[in-house]
Amino acid sequence: MVTKTAEKQQPSPTAGGKSATKWIMTLLSSSLGQKFVMGITGLLLCSFLVVHLAGNLLVYVGADAYNSYAHDLHSMLLLPVAETGLFLLLFAHIALAFKLTSDNRKARHISYHEKQSKIEEPPSFFGKTPMGRTSSWMFLSGSIILIFLIVHMIDMKLHLNPAVAYTVETPEGVVEADPYSIIVQVLGSWSAAVYIIGTIILGFHLSHGFWSAFQSLGLNHPKYTPWIKKFAILFAAVIAIGFASLPIWGLFIH
């Protein structure tokens, strides 16, 4: 009887998985939970930007350095796993941006009608709070960055830019052009304008998004938050200038 009772009390093998799934769903169902995940994904994407920029800046060193970097990167066995994880991070960040923006608009709409019903408190002339304008700007800038990323995927991943020769003829036959040759052509093509605009918008997006990610994680403090905001501006400027320098180099210097 004791054995049978003990067996009945043992948790199901799937109980842990169900608990984790329930915890994730509970987290994503609340506004605070969504902002928390938004902050986490945002900071992880910022980390990727640092690594990606460091690799791309090797074009200034020369063809051998950049080609060696690209070869080592694409020979990594776990690269597909890393790319899938990056895609999921980006998808989660974008999906939550849509959700939070939609919720903010609904909240402002309800607040507007509540104010309209009070004679002593007429609605604002602008109809939007500063927070509402910030949220709208972050959504708009994020949408522009998404277009920039799609163009980047067309250029460097799908190899569909008509202005770029992705293959070269050799005595052995037609082979793929080396990565340095491809990126130099891309940076000197019509895509350069998209890259310059996209990276500038990215800088403005990061200048607010970086420090607000800490706020979403509950890591804001009167003493440290002003320094985080200053670092966010510096970080955004370095990332934006670093990436924008590449198409400028491709168009006017190289």
Side-chain angles (χ1 to χ4, degrees):
M1 291 296 293
V2 175
T3 303
K4 290 183 179 180
T5 303
E7 289 178 353
K8 289 181 180 180
Q9 292 177 347
Q10 289 180 358
S12 169
T14 59
K18 290 181 179 179
S19 299
T21 302
K22 184 178 179 180
W23 181 83
I24 293 174
M25 295 303 295
T26 302
L27 179 68
L28 294 177
S29 63
S30 66
S31 177
L32 288 177
Q34 292 168 10
K35 290 179 180 179
F36 180 86
V37 177
M38 188 81 167
I40 288 290
T41 55
L43 290 178
L44 290 175
L45 289 172
C46 285
S47 301
F48 165 75
L49 288 174
V50 173
V51 176
H52 191 53
L53 176 60
N56 283 348
L57 290 179
L58 288 174
V59 297
Y60 294 138
V61 180
D64 292 339
Y66 185 81
N67 286 336
S68 177
Y69 156 74
H71 175 73
D72 292 342
L73 178 65
H74 290 93
S75 62
M76 291 175 56
L77 294 177
L78 295 179
L79 181 61
V81 178
E83 290 179 334
T84 301
L86 179 62
F87 173 79
L88 292 175
L89 278 176
L90 184 61
F91 176 80
H93 196 74
I94 293 172
L96 287 172
F98 273 97
K99 180 66 168 59
L100 290 171
T101 301
S102 176
D103 291 345
N104 288 337
R105 286 176 178 173
K106 290 178 182 177
R108 291 199 302 270
H109 181 73
I110 293 172
S111 177
Y112 173 82
H113 284 285
E114 286 178 348
K115 288 182 179 181
Q116 207 172 28
S117 64
K118 299 178 182 179
I119 299 176
E120 69 277 8
E121 189 178 359
S124 169
F125 173 80
F126 296 100
K128 291 183 179 181
T129 63
M131 181 62 71
R133 289 196 294 271
T134 300
S135 177
S136 297
W137 160 246
M138 290 298 287
F139 181 79
L140 176 61
S141 60
S143 301
I144 296 173
I145 294 168
L146 180 59
I147 295 173
F148 158 64
L149 289 176
I150 292 173
V151 172
H152 186 55
M153 291 292 292
I154 291 173
D155 287 339
M156 303 303 298
K157 190 71 175 178
L158 302 178
H159 290 181
L160 295 177
N161 188 332
V164 177
Y166 293 103
T167 58
V168 294
E169 292 187 8
T170 67
E172 291 77 21
V174 178
V175 297
E176 184 174 340
D178 63 89
Y180 181 83
S181 174
I182 292 175
I183 193 172
V184 166
Q185 292 181 78
V186 168
L187 294 175
S189 70
W190 62 270
S191 296
V194 178
Y195 285 11
I196 293 172
I197 295 172
T199 51
I200 292 174
I201 298 298
L202 174 64
F204 284 108
H205 190 85
L206 290 174
S207 65
H208 175 79
F210 186 85
W211 74 263
S212 65
F214 286 88
Q215 191 175 36
S216 298
L217 297 175
L219 300 177
N220 54 323
H221 188 277
K223 183 178 179 180
Y224 303 113
T225 297
W227 289 101
I228 294 175
K229 289 183 177 181
K230 292 178 181 178
F231 180 79
I233 294 174
L234 176 63
F235 174 78
V238 170
I239 294 296
I241 294 172
F243 277 117
S245 70
L246 296 170
I248 293 174
W249 171 81
L251 281 173
F252 304 109
I253 301 175
H254 184 267

